[in-house]
Amino acid sequence: MLDYFALGVLFFVVIVLFYGIIVIHDIPYEISKRRNHPHQDAIHAAGWVSLFTLHAIWPFLWIWAMLYRDDRGWGFSTPKAELEQQLAEMRQRLERLEGQGASRSAHAVEEA
């Protein structure tokens, strides 16, 4: 009787490990799906490839999935409104500097 119980436990453990590994490798895809990542399909396919490469690329898939968020994009850029505000401030500063430069050159011409 214990032999059959041990065999059942062995099958159960093997099946749980098999499906557990598959579920773990789908974590980057689930993250990308939740974040509405533009490369969801590529991440999913690479997750399956990672199963056959002995998990070598799986950490990179996790990073790739975590890079993108709907609210901030890839996270490497400044929001557009902030960039437009900085551009307007720089234009105003440039106009002031050019105005100062023009008045100085006119003053220098008058003195000469």
Side-chain angles (χ1 to χ4, degrees):
M1 177 66 180
L2 285 177
D3 290 337
Y4 292 115
F5 179 73
L7 185 62
V9 168
L10 182 64
F11 280 140
F12 177 76
V13 168
V14 168
I15 290 170
V16 167
L17 282 176
F18 178 77
Y19 284 109
I21 289 171
I22 291 174
V23 167
I24 287 172
H25 276 80
D26 265 353
I27 289 174
Y29 171 68
E30 295 299 325
I31 290 171
S32 67
K33 203 162 65 169
R34 222 176 317 121
R35 291 176 173 235
N36 200 18
H37 199 291
H39 304 141
Q40 289 178 22
D41 294 334
I43 292 172
H44 195 184
W48 281 103
V49 170
S50 178
L51 280 171
F52 300 112
T53 60
L54 300 176
H55 325 291
I57 63 173
W58 191 85
F60 300 108
L61 295 177
W62 181 290
I63 293 168
W64 185 13
M66 295 292 287
L67 280 176
Y68 184 82
R69 266 193 1 209
D70 243 357
D71 59 340
R72 66 172 165 84
W74 292 100
F76 296 114
S77 63
T78 325
K80 189 175 180 180
E82 187 178 326
L83 288 176
E84 289 174 352
Q85 179 185 1
Q86 287 177 356
L87 181 62
E89 290 172 2
M90 285 183 190
R91 282 185 178 156
Q92 290 173 354
R93 184 175 176 205
L94 180 63
E95 288 171 3
R96 275 195 319 250
L97 290 173
E98 285 177 343
Q100 289 175 359
S103 66
R104 284 185 186 162
S105 63
H107 188 292
V109 168
E110 289 175 3
E111 288 180 359

